[in-house]
Amino acid sequence: MRNKYPYKSMKNFTVEEATRSLALIRPIVLDIQGKWAKVKGLKDECDAIISHNLESSVNLEEKEELLDELLKEIERYIEELQDIGVNFRGFEEGIIDFPTKLDSRLIHLCWQLEEETVNHWHEIFEGFQNRKPITPELEEEIRQIDEIMKVPRT
């Protein structure tokens, strides 16, 4: 399910743009988490049927078909997030990374479902556990880099 190229379009988000996009992103992440909970439940049911021979193979096939449908729906949601330009990072935690530039390097602004705004960042080679708070100075630097990158070159 993981895309070889996590960002379909390489958009660089400012902190303000990332926070504004949460109105679109949050419901998608909630949908993914809801579907993921159903996937885990169905998988447990299938495992129980297989290990204990509890029900007929027809019932198992129906559950496996539903499981496949749910996984395809989750994949479509993840693709929708990739189309927005963000990367989904966690079924349980609901983590989203927003690519942006700082100096001459790519970094990720980082958001978790329980948060109201985008307030953290981390290097692309680091993960969620290494995220740092976004300071006003960093936010301004990201905004300025974004403005420079938008200027047409002649």
Side-chain angles (χ1 to χ4, degrees):
M1 207 182 325
R2 210 165 261 263
N3 188 338
K4 183 177 174 183
Y5 305 102
Y7 304 107
K8 287 188 178 179
S9 63
M10 192 55 190
K11 173 170 180 33
N12 290 311
F13 287 83
T14 64
V15 176
E16 182 182 343
E17 289 169 335
T19 297
R20 269 197 325 257
S21 71
L22 293 179
L24 179 60
I25 290 170
R26 184 179 279 114
I28 298 169
V29 173
L30 285 168
D31 287 341
I32 290 171
Q33 284 189 325
K35 301 287 183 195
W36 185 246
K38 290 179 183 177
V39 164
K40 289 185 349 185
L42 270 173
K43 185 187 176 311
D44 290 345
E45 290 176 31
C46 290
D47 290 346
I49 291 169
I50 292 167
S51 65
H52 296 87
N53 199 19
L54 296 175
E55 301 178 37
S56 71
S57 62
V58 173
N59 197 359
L60 178 60
E61 286 177 20
E62 289 173 1
K63 289 183 185 301
E64 288 175 335
E65 285 176 20
L66 182 55
L67 192 61
D68 286 343
E69 288 174 29
L70 287 168
L71 290 171
K72 286 177 185 170
E73 287 179 42
I74 289 171
E75 189 169 354
R76 283 192 296 274
Y77 286 132
I78 292 171
E79 287 173 0
E80 194 174 338
L81 290 170
Q82 291 170 342
D83 287 342
I84 294 168
V86 300
N87 200 7
F88 179 73
R89 294 284 185 194
F91 291 102
E92 305 296 330
E93 307 85 4
I95 297 169
I96 296 288
D97 283 340
F98 299 83
T100 196
K101 292 269 185 160
L102 179 63
D103 302 322
S104 60
R105 68 190 195 276
L106 181 67
I107 65 166
H108 287 151
L109 303 176
C110 184
W111 172 79
Q112 187 173 17
L113 185 58
E114 64 194 29
E115 298 169 341
E116 290 301 312
T117 60
V118 177
N119 294 316
H120 295 86
W121 71 280
H122 59 82
E123 301 287 347
I124 60 168
F125 56 85
E126 296 177 333
F128 180 82
Q129 68 278 6
N130 294 87
R131 66 190 199 144
K132 303 158 200 64
I134 297 172
T135 62
E137 296 81 15
L138 180 71
E139 183 173 354
E140 179 60 20
E141 188 173 345
I142 290 169
R143 190 195 63 70
Q144 288 177 0
I145 291 169
D146 186 65
E147 288 299 317
I148 291 169
M149 292 179 71
K150 287 180 182 173
V151 173
R153 298 184 189 231
T154 56

